[in-house]
Amino acid sequence: MNRKNKPARRGDLVVVQMAELATQDGEIEIKRCFLTLGRVTLANEKGTVMAYRRFGRHFVDREVPEQCAGVNAQRIDMQAIERDMTARIAKNPTANEFADLETLEAYLCTFMKETRVP
């Protein structure tokens, strides 16, 4: 997740690291962390993600994610991911929560477009 990324553009796929927090005795503690997928809805001129919409959510997160990585929308079949995520989330509301990067990468590989080497 700490890789140097190319600038993001609206419509790109974004992977965001999320944390579920809990407050106990006035202390905030992390219950669990997971990775989630979304689509960039706003990027600034430097290519920093300023807002994104997670698959399975109707609202837009309007904050700069602390830990995120992206895939250019031209390299991946975004329509197929959206259809698949919609179907998966209809069966399981937490289907867009991945425990680790390896599981997420395995899922995304099935949607990558072929790249031809000249």
Side-chain angles (χ1 to χ4, degrees):
M1 295 295 294
N2 292 326
R3 297 181 206 152
K4 176 89 170 143
N5 291 317
K6 292 183 179 181
R9 289 188 225 152
R10 187 172 189 261
D12 285 351
L13 179 74
V14 66
V15 177
V16 181
Q17 184 174 11
M18 305 289 289
E20 190 175 299
L21 305 174
T23 305
Q24 187 170 347
D25 300 327
E27 300 274 329
I28 297 175
E29 44 184 63
I30 298 174
K31 283 180 66 174
R32 67 186 183 100
C33 291
F34 58 91
L35 300 168
T36 187
L37 294 171
R39 184 183 282 257
V40 175
T41 58
L42 179 67
N44 68 13
E45 62 279 348
K46 293 180 182 178
T48 302
V49 175
M50 304 299 289
Y52 59 95
R53 185 187 57 80
R54 291 171 50 193
F55 295 121
R57 304 289 175 136
H58 296 289
F59 60 89
V60 172
D61 291 299
R62 294 196 176 272
E63 59 184 53
V64 177
E66 217 170 292
Q67 293 286 323
C68 75
V71 178
N72 185 291
Q74 295 175 349
R75 295 186 58 222
I76 197 158
D77 189 343
M78 289 297 290
Q79 290 179 340
I81 288 178
E82 286 194 33
R83 283 191 306 269
D84 186 68
M85 273 291 159
T86 300
R88 290 168 48 117
I89 291 169
K91 294 177 186 173
N92 176 7
T94 62
N96 191 11
E97 297 177 7
F98 296 86
D100 55 56
L101 194 55
E102 292 78 24
T103 306
L104 178 64
E105 286 176 341
Y107 174 76
L108 290 178
C109 281
T110 60
F111 298 100
M112 295 301 290
K113 293 180 180 176
E114 284 188 38
T115 54
R116 298 177 192 244
V117 179

